[in-house]
C-alpha cells in the first residue's frame, strides 16, 4: 500500500474517531429506567403507562424510610421531613405521608371499629386523672410522685398498664455517667390497648421528584435532597435514621454500580487484551496497529450508537467491554497470518497481501455470524438487548472494516517495518499434544457425546430469574431497604390495581375482590369514608368533654424541680417500689415489675449522688428525656384526634382523593395478596384471581412476571433465529451439510456445557446474561469457521500447528478476557453476563480445539468426495 495513501487513510479514520467521540460525549445519554428495557408496545406496558397518566399521584418513585426508637419520634420525624421536602418545589412535585399527616392525625379514631374505639375511650377516661397530673407537671418529680401514689393505690390505675409502664421506665433508665443518646420511653407502647402488639416505629414519606431526564445528576440531586433535609433537621439527635429507596434511588445506585463496573472492566479488558496481543504477536508494530485499530473501531461504534440509538441502557452500556473482547479477533487472525508469512521469509508487502487474501473470506463470514448473534435480538420486545444488538452488531462490521483498511495502513507507516523473527519451533511434547485429537479422535468423540448428553440432562433445571432487584448491587442502601420493606410490608409491595370506569363499578370490583381467599383486602376511595360515623363521633365528643381540659397545659405551670427535689421524689418512688415488691397484697405482675425497677433506680440514685453538681444535673436531664421526652407528643396526638369531624367524599384531602379518583372519573381499586408472593406460582395465582374480576389490571406483580415472560420469549426467538441464520451462513460458505454440522458442533457441545455449568453453580438466566447463548452462537462459531476453512485448504493433518489455530486460541482468550472483566462488576447483572459469557467461550474453545479437529480428521480422507 502506498505510504502517502496510508497516511491519508490513518488521518481520515482518526479524524472520524475523534469526531464520533466528541459527538457522543455531548449528546449520548444513559437511561437507567428498568421498565425501558421492555418494549412499551406490550399490553402490560401500555396499561401501566395509561394508569400512570391517569393517576400521576399514585406513582412515587422515591421513598424515604424513617426508623426511630419510638412511634412518637417516627411520627414527628416523618412530619418534619415531609414538610421540609414539600418546600423544595424545584426538586419535588409532592411529599406525601401514606400512613399519617394532618387528615389521619385528626380523623384516625374514626377508622377504628366501634368496639376498638369504645375500649380506647374507656381506658383514656380511666387514665384522665393520671394524664391531668402529668400534663400539669411533666417532670421526673411529677412522674415519680404519680407512680408512688399509684403503687399505694391512692390513684386508680389498671394493673396491666401500670406494670407495663413500670417495666418500660426501668428499661429506659440511662447510665448515669453516659453522655450518649438516651433510649426514650414510648408512651404509646407503654399504655397500648394490646400489650402483645409492638407499636410500629417505621414511617414512610412518598416523594415525586421533578426529574430532568436530560440531566444525568437529576436523580442523584433528589436523593441528596433527602439526605440534606435529614441533616438540616438534625433528626439524628432524635434517635432517627432515614434511608432512601424507590425507583429513583434504585436507578441512581444502579447507574453508580454499572459505571463503577465499567471503570473496572474497561481498563482491565484493555490491559488483558493488550498483554495477550503482545504474547501472541511478539511484535510492537503488530500490537500497536491492533490496539489503534481497536480504539478507532470502538470510537466509531460509539458514534454510531449516538446517531442510531441516542442512548445507552443498563445492558447496552456493556457494549464497550464486549467490543474490546470481540473487536480484537479480526486483527489477531490477520496479524498472526502476517507474522507466519514474515517468518517464512516473505517481504512486508507480500506478507500483508497474502495474509489479507488468506483470511478475508473467513473474516467476512465471522463478522456476519457475530453480527447475527447480536442482530437476532432486534426484532424482539426486549428493547434493552435489542439496542445492544444494534450497537454491538454494527460494531462488528465497523471492526471488520477497520481491520481490513486501517490495520494495513498502520502497518505501512509504523516504524520498524514490523520485522518479526520466526517463532520458536514447536517442541516434541507440544507437537505430540497438538496431534492428540487426530490420534484419539474416537475416544474424544465418544467422550464429547457423553458429556453433551449429561449436560443436556441438566438443561431442564435451568430457570429464568425475573426479579431485576437481584441484578443490582446488593450492598447499596436502596436495595437493602427495599428488600426489608418487601419482607415486612410484602402485601403493600405486591399489590395490584384494577381500574373501574365509575363509582358503582369500583364498588362492585371491590366486593368481588374481597370474596377471593387469595386477596387479603381491597381498598378504594370509599374505604376512606368510615362506617358508623355518627356513633363514633358521639364517643369522641364524650371523650373530648372528659379529657379536653385535662390535656391543656396549665396557665401557671409548676416550676422545674431542682436536683435535690428530683432525687427526693425518686427516693420516694424507690421506697414505694420496694414496699410493692415485698407486699403479698401487690398483684404479681406489678410486684415483679416493681422489683426489677427498684434495683436499677437505686443504682442510678447512688451514682448521681456521688457526681459533681454539673454532671448530676446533666444525668437528671437525661433521665427526664428518657422518661418524658415523647409524652408531649402523645398528648398532642390525643388532643388533635379529639377534633375529628364527619368525613364525606368532598372533604377528603386532594392528595388522597386524587390517588383513587382520576380527573375523568376513573376509580382505582387496590388488591392486596393474602399469601407470600415470593413464590412465582403464588404470584401468578394472585394475578389470575384479580384478572378474573377485571381485565384492566396493573401493578408490580404483572410487570414482574410479564417482563420475565417477554424476555424468555425473546431469548427463545433469538436463539432459534441465530441457530438458523448461522447454519444457513455456514452452509452457503461451505456448500456441505456435513461440514455445516461439523461447524455447528462446537456450539452445540459448548452451549449445552454452558447451561449445565450455570445449573451446577446456581446461576439463573436473568435480564442481563440472557444474551449469552444467542451471542455465543454467533461468536463461538467463528473459531470453527476459521478451522474448517483452514482444513478445507488441505492442512487438516497439521491443523493445530497452523497460524489459524493460534489465532483461534488467542482470539478466544482475548474474548474471554474482555467478557471476564465484567465478572468483577459490583452490578450483579453485568457480573453474571461476564461470568456466563466467559464460561461459554471457554467451553466453545475447548470443543473447537479438541472435538472439532477430531471430527475433521475423522473424515479427512473422504473430504474431497464428500464436499465435492
Amino acid at each position: 500500500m502506498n505510504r502517502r495513501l496510508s497516511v491519508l487513510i490513518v488521518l481520515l479514520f482518526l479524524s472520524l474517531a475523534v469526531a464520533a467521540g466528541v459527538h457522543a460525549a455531548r449528546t449520548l445519554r444513559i437511561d437507567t429506567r428498568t421498565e425501558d428495557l421492555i418494549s412499551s408496545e406490550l399490553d402490560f406496558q401500555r396499561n401501566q403507562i395509561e394508569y400512570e397518566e391517569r393517576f400521576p399521584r399514585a406513582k412515587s418513585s422515591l421513598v424515604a424510610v424513617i426508623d426511630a426508637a419510638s412511634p412518637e419520634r417516627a411520627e414527628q420525624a416523618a412530619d418534619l421531613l415531609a414538610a421540609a421536602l414539600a418546600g423544595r418545589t424545584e426538586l419535588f412535585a409532592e411529599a406525601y405521608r401514606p400512613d399519617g399527616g394532618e387528615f389521619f392525625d385528626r380523623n384516625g379514631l374514626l377508622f377504628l371499629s366501634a368496639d376498638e374505639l369504645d375500649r380506647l375511650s374507656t381506658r383514656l377516661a380511666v387514665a384522665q386523672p393520671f394524664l391531668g397530673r402529668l400534663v400539669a407537671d411533666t417532670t421526673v418529680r411529677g412522674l415519680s410522685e404519680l407512680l408512688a401514689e399509684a403503687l399505694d393505690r391512692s390513684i386508680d390505675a389498671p394493673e396491666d398498664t401500670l406494670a407495663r409502664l413500670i417495666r418500660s421506665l426501668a428499661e429506659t433508665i440511662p447510665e448515669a455517667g453516659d453522655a450518649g443518646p438516651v433510649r426514650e420511653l414510648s408512651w404509646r407502647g407503654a399504655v397500648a390497648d394490646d400489650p402483645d402488639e409492638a407499636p410500629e416505629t417505621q414511617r414512610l414519606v412518598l416523594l415525586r421528584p421533578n426529574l430532568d431526564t436530560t440531566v444525568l445528576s437529576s436523580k442523584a440531586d433528589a436523593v441528596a435532597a433527602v439526605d440534606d433535609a435529614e441533616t438540616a433537621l438534625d433528626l439524628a439527635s432524635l434517635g432517627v435514621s432515614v434511608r432512601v429507596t424507590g425507583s429513583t434511588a434504585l436507578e441512581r445506585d444502579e447507574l453508580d454500580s454499572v459505571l463503577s463496573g465499567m471503570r473496572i472492566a474497561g481498563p482491565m479488558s484493555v490491559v488483558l487484551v493488550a498483554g495477550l496481543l503482545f504474547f501472541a504477536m511478539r511484535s510492537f508494530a503488530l500490537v500497536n496497529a491492533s490496539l489503534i485499530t481497536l480504539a478507532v473501531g470502538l470510537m466509531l461504534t460509539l458514534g454510531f450508537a449516538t446517531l442510531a440509538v441516542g442512548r445507552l441502557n443498563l445492558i447496552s452500556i456493556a457494549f464497550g467491554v464486549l467490543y474490546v473482547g470481540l473487536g480484537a479477533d479480526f486483527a489477531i487472525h490477520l496479524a498472526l497470518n502476517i507474522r507466519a508469512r514474515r517468518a517464512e521469509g516473505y517481504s512486508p508487502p507480500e506478507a500483508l497481501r497474502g495474509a489479507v487474501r488468506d483470511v478475508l473470506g473467513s473474516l467476512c463470514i465471522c463478522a456476519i455470524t457475530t453480527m447475527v448473534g447480536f442482530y437476532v435480538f432486534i426484532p424482539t420486545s426486549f428493547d434493552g438487548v435489542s439496542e445492544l444488538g444494534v450497537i454491538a452488531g454494527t460494531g462488528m462490521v465497523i471492526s471488520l472494516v477497520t481491520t481490513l483498511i486501517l490495520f494495513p495502513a498502520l502497518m505501512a507507516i509504523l516504524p520498524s517495518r514490523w520485522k518479526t523473527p520466526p517463532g520458536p519451533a514447536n517442541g516434541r511434547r507440544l507437537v505430540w499434544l497438538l496431534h492428540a485429537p487426530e490420534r484419539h479422535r474416537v475416544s474424544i468423540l465418544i467422550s464429547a457425546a457423553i458429556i453433551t448428553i449429561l449436560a443436556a440432562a441438566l438443561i431442564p433445571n435451568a430457570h429464568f430469574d425475573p426479579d431485576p432487584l437481584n441484578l443490582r448491587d446488593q450492598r447499596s442502601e436502596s436495595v437493602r431497604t427495599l428488600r426489608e420493606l418487601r419482607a415486612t410490608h410484602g402485601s403493600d409491595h405486591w399489590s395490584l390495581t384494577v381500574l373501574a370506569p365509575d363509582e358503582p363499578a369500583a364498588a362492585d370490583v371491590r366486593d368481588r375482590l374481597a370474596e377471593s381467599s387469595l386477596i387479603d383486602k381491597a381498598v378504594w376511595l370509599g374505604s376512606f369514608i368510615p362506617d358508623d360515623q355518627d356513633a363514633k363521633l358521639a364517643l369522641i365528643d364524650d371523650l373530648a368533654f372528659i379529657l379536653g381540659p385535662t390535656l391543656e397545659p396549665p396557665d401557671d405551670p409548676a416550676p422545674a424541680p431542682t436536683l435535690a427535689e428530683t432525687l427526693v421524689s425518686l427516693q420516694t418512688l424507690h421506697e414505694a417500689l420496694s414496699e410493692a415488691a415485698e407486699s403479698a397484697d401487690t398483684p404479681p405482675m406489678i410486684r415483679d415489675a416493681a422489683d426489677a425497677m427498684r434495683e436499677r433506680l437505686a443504682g442510678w440514685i447512688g451514682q448521681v449522688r456521688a457526681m459533681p453538681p454539673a454532671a448530676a444535673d446533666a444525668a437528671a436531664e437525661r433521665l427526664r428525656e428518657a422518661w418524658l421526652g415523647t409524652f408531649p407528643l402523645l398528648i398532642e396526638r390525643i388532643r388533635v384526634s379529639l377534633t375529628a369531624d364527619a368525613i364525606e367524599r368532598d372533604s377528603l384531602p386532594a392528595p388522597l382523593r386524587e390517588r383513587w379518583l382520576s380527573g375523568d372519573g376513573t376509580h382505582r381499586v387496590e388488591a392486596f395478596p393474602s399469601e407470600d408472593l415470593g413464590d412465582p406460582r403464588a404470584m401468578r395465582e394472585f394475578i389470575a384471581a384479580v384478572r378474573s374480576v377485571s381485565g384492566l389490571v396493573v401493578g408490580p406483580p404483572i410487570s414482574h412476571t410479564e417482563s420475565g415472560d417477554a424476555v424468555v420469549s425473546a431469548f427463545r426467538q433469538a436463539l432459534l433465529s441465530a441457530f438458523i441464520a448461522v447454519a444457513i451462513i455456514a452452509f452457503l460458505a461451505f456448500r456441505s451439510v456435513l461440514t455445516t454440522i461439523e461447524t455447528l458442533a462446537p456450539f452445540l457441545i459448548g452451549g449445552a456445557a454452558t447451561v449445565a455449568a450455570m445449573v451446577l453453580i446456581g446461576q439463573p438466566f436473568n435480564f442481563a446474561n440472557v444474551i449469552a447463548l444467542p451471542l455465543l452462537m454467533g461468536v463461538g462459531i467463528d473459531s470453527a469457521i476459521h478451522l474448517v476453512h483452514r482444513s478445507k485448504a488441505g492442512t487438516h493433518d497439521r491443523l493445530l500447528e497452523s497460524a489459524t489455530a493460534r489465532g483461534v486460541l488467542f482470539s478466544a482468550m482475548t474474548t474471554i478476557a474482555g467478557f471476564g472483566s465484567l465478572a468483577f462488576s459490583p452490578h450483579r447483572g453485568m457480573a453474571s453476563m461476564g461470568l456466563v459469557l466467559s464460561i461459554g467461550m471457554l467451553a466453545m474453545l475447548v470443543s473447537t480445539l479438541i472435538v472439532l479437529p477430531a471430527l475433521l480428521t475423522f473424515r479427512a480422507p473422504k473430504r474431497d468426495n464428500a464436499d465435492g
Side-chain angles (χ1 to χ4, degrees):
M1 182 180 291
N2 182 278
R3 184 176 178 83
R4 178 177 297 178
L5 178 60
S6 299
V7 171
L8 291 176
I9 290 174
V10 170
L11 290 177
L12 174 62
F13 272 91
L14 291 178
S15 300
L16 290 174
V18 171
V22 171
H23 181 60
R26 291 177 176 176
T27 61
L28 188 65
R29 63 186 180 89
I30 299 177
D31 182 3
T32 58
R33 284 166 47 92
T34 304
E35 53 264 43
D36 288 345
L37 296 178
I38 305 298
S39 172
S40 60
E41 296 302 313
L42 295 178
D43 287 343
F44 82 94
Q45 289 279 65
R46 287 151 63 133
N47 290 341
Q48 185 69 33
I49 292 171
E50 177 185 346
Y51 164 66
E52 292 176 6
E53 289 175 349
R54 287 184 174 181
F55 295 93
R57 287 183 181 269
K59 179 177 174 59
S60 299
S61 62
L62 201 60
V63 181
V65 181
I66 298 162
D67 294 288
S70 66
E72 295 91 339
R73 289 302 185 196
E75 285 281 349
Q76 181 188 26
D79 287 338
L80 291 172
L81 187 64
L85 295 176
R88 298 291 302 275
T89 55
E90 78 283 6
L91 286 175
F92 299 102
E94 183 182 31
Y96 176 74
R97 287 205 53 206
D99 50 3
E102 180 182 352
F103 174 77
F104 288 106
D105 288 347
R106 186 176 70 255
N107 301 299
L109 295 181
L110 291 174
F111 291 94
L112 298 176
S113 68
D115 290 340
E116 290 172 333
L117 182 56
D118 185 61
R119 288 197 303 271
L120 178 62
S121 299
T122 301
R123 294 176 69 85
L124 288 176
V126 170
Q128 186 266 344
F130 191 95
L131 293 175
R133 286 274 304 276
L134 198 52
V135 168
D137 187 7
T138 313
T139 64
V140 172
R141 174 190 60 195
L143 178 58
S144 298
E145 292 173 354
L146 269 176
L147 286 175
E149 293 178 22
L151 286 167
D152 66 15
R153 301 181 188 176
S154 299
I155 294 180
D156 188 21
E159 293 179 6
D160 59 337
T161 301
L162 180 59
R164 191 160 64 250
L165 177 58
I166 292 173
R167 284 196 299 270
S168 300
L169 289 168
E171 292 170 356
T172 54
I173 295 176
E175 291 295 330
D178 191 4
V182 298
R183 177 188 173 187
E184 290 184 320
L185 166 72
S186 170
W187 279 86
R188 188 184 304 180
V191 300
D193 185 34
D194 185 356
D196 296 326
E197 183 177 345
E200 178 63 56
T201 59
Q202 188 176 85
R203 298 291 184 271
L204 305 179
V205 176
L206 306 183
L207 304 165
R208 284 195 296 126
N210 295 317
L211 297 177
D212 184 351
T213 56
T214 64
V215 179
L216 196 59
S217 63
S218 180
K219 295 172 183 177
D221 291 342
V223 175
V226 179
D227 297 335
D228 293 342
E230 177 187 8
T231 302
L233 295 169
D234 194 19
L235 297 183
S237 66
L238 302 177
V240 173
S241 65
V242 180
R243 295 171 292 161
V244 182
T245 188
S247 59
T248 296
L250 288 167
E251 290 164 7
R252 188 282 307 262
D253 289 344
E254 184 161 30
L255 178 60
D256 288 346
S257 67
V258 168
L259 293 179
S260 175
M262 292 302 103
R263 285 191 288 268
I264 295 171
M268 180 183 294
S269 63
V270 171
V271 170
L272 290 175
V273 168
L276 287 169
L277 289 175
F278 184 79
F279 184 77
M281 301 175 187
R282 307 295 177 89
S283 165
F284 283 111
L286 290 173
V287 171
N288 291 337
S290 299
L291 292 177
I292 294 172
T293 301
L294 188 65
V296 169
L298 178 59
M299 295 307 296
L300 293 177
T301 304
L302 184 63
F304 169 79
T306 307
L307 295 173
V309 182
R311 67 175 185 174
L312 295 176
N313 61 54
L314 293 171
I315 296 176
S316 64
I317 198 173
F319 93 91
V321 175
L322 296 180
Y323 183 92
V324 171
L326 295 171
D329 290 358
F330 301 146
I332 286 175
H333 282 284
L334 180 57
L336 287 180
N337 202 293
I338 291 172
R339 187 179 186 279
R341 289 177 177 274
R342 288 287 291 131
E344 294 172 5
Y346 287 95
S347 68
E350 293 172 336
L352 181 57
R353 287 193 297 269
V356 170
R357 284 195 306 269
D358 197 31
V359 301
L360 178 60
S362 58
L363 287 186
C364 289
I365 296 173
C366 291
I368 294 173
T369 56
T370 306
M371 181 180 67
V372 165
F374 285 110
Y375 274 9
V376 288
F377 275 101
I378 294 177
T380 70
S381 58
F382 191 5
D383 285 355
V385 177
S386 176
E387 291 174 2
L388 173 64
V390 171
I391 298 168
T394 305
M396 294 301 97
V397 177
I398 293 173
S399 178
L400 177 66
V401 171
T402 54
T403 300
L404 295 178
I405 299 177
L406 177 61
F407 187 94
L410 286 168
M411 295 305 297
I413 63 175
L414 283 174
S416 82
R417 297 296 294 166
W418 32 284
K419 294 179 180 178
T420 56
N426 291 328
R428 183 175 300 177
R429 292 184 179 179
L430 180 58
V431 171
W432 179 87
L433 181 63
L434 294 178
H435 286 276
E438 179 183 355
R439 292 195 311 273
H440 305 288
R441 55 181 177 266
V442 175
S443 299
I444 288 174
L445 294 177
I446 292 174
S447 300
I450 293 173
I451 291 173
T452 304
I453 292 171
L454 293 176
L458 291 173
I459 290 178
N461 296 317
H463 69 281
F464 180 81
D465 179 4
D467 191 349
L469 193 64
N470 292 334
L471 302 186
R472 296 180 162 103
D473 184 356
Q474 303 300 299
R475 298 167 298 179
S476 66
E477 178 184 271
S478 60
V479 171
R480 288 186 286 107
T481 304
L482 183 55
R483 286 205 179 280
E484 179 186 306
L485 291 179
R486 280 188 180 182
T488 57
H489 302 85
S491 177
D492 295 340
H493 180 83
W494 295 118
S495 66
L496 285 173
T497 292
V498 180
L499 299 186
D502 51 39
E503 183 173 337
D508 179 64
V509 167
R510 186 266 173 203
D511 293 339
R512 292 168 62 192
L513 288 172
E515 296 173 357
S516 173
S517 61
L518 296 174
I519 297 171
D520 179 50
K521 62 181 178 180
V523 178
W524 69 302
L525 186 63
S527 302
F528 298 94
I529 311 297
D531 298 328
D532 302 324
Q533 291 194 64
D534 292 340
K536 293 177 182 178
L537 286 170
L539 280 173
I540 294 172
D541 288 342
D542 291 342
L543 192 58
F545 178 78
I546 297 171
L547 290 180
T550 302
L551 301 180
E552 295 296 331
D555 296 332
D556 187 19
T562 64
L563 176 62
E565 290 173 334
T566 298
L567 291 174
V568 168
S569 65
L570 288 172
Q571 186 61 45
T572 301
L573 173 60
H574 179 264
E575 293 170 0
L577 290 167
S578 298
E579 183 177 344
E582 296 169 1
S583 173
D585 295 333
T586 305
M589 64 174 63
I590 295 179
R591 183 167 61 244
D592 293 342
D595 184 49
M597 183 174 181
R598 66 172 176 169
E599 294 182 9
R600 295 198 62 179
L601 186 59
W604 188 90
I605 293 172
Q607 289 179 318
V608 170
R609 283 177 171 166
M611 288 180 174
D617 285 336
E621 176 59 22
R622 282 168 48 77
L623 182 63
R624 186 200 66 77
E625 292 176 5
W627 279 3
L628 293 160
T630 67
F631 182 76
L633 301 177
L634 173 67
I635 296 302
E636 177 63 16
R637 182 176 178 82
I638 295 174
R639 187 186 65 77
V640 171
S641 69
L642 297 179
T643 65
D645 200 356
I647 300 175
E648 298 178 356
R649 180 70 48 84
D650 294 339
S651 66
L652 291 172
L656 173 62
R657 187 172 59 252
E658 291 172 10
R659 276 173 164 74
W660 300 93
L661 177 63
S662 70
D664 63 1
T666 302
H667 285 252
R668 59 181 290 258
V669 183
E670 191 166 5
F672 297 85
S674 58
E675 296 185 17
D676 178 14
L677 298 192
D679 179 3
R681 176 195 56 80
M683 184 176 293
R684 291 185 183 275
E685 289 178 352
F686 173 60
I687 293 172
V690 177
R691 279 181 165 166
S692 69
V693 173
S694 174
L696 188 53
V697 184
V698 298
I702 288 179
S703 299
H704 188 86
T705 56
E706 298 207 9
S707 293
D709 291 346
V711 172
V712 171
S713 175
F715 163 73
R716 291 171 177 165
Q717 176 184 337
L719 183 59
L720 179 61
S721 299
F723 185 83
I724 293 173
V726 168
I728 292 173
I729 292 170
F731 178 77
L732 293 176
F734 300 118
R735 303 300 177 95
S736 167
V737 174
L738 288 177
T739 304
T740 300
I741 294 174
E742 290 171 343
T743 306
L744 294 174
F747 168 75
L748 297 175
I749 299 170
T754 301
V755 179
M758 293 176 65
V759 172
L760 293 175
I761 66 176
Q763 174 62 64
F765 286 104
N766 55 47
F767 286 94
N769 66 31
V770 75
I771 72 169
L773 289 185
L775 178 56
L776 290 171
M777 178 80 253
V779 175
I781 201 172
D782 291 356
S783 299
I785 288 173
H786 284 295
L787 286 185
V788 172
H789 181 78
R790 173 61 63 180
S791 177
K792 284 177 66 66
T795 57
H796 54 267
D797 56 335
R798 299 174 58 87
L799 186 60
L800 295 184
E801 295 185 63
S802 66
T804 300
R806 287 194 295 275
V808 165
L809 173 63
F810 285 107
S811 65
M813 290 177 66
T814 58
T815 302
I816 292 172
F819 292 167
S821 62
L822 288 172
F824 296 93
S825 171
H827 187 273
R828 280 191 172 185
M830 291 293 110
S832 70
M833 182 195 296
L835 177 63
V836 174
L837 286 172
S838 297
I839 291 173
M841 280 304 301
L842 183 60
M844 301 287 184
L845 177 63
V846 172
S847 59
T848 300
L849 292 182
I850 296 178
V851 180
L852 181 59
L855 275 174
L856 294 175
T857 57
F858 189 78
R859 70 183 192 98
K862 302 178 181 180
R863 178 168 302 279
D864 294 338
N865 294 330
D867 292 342

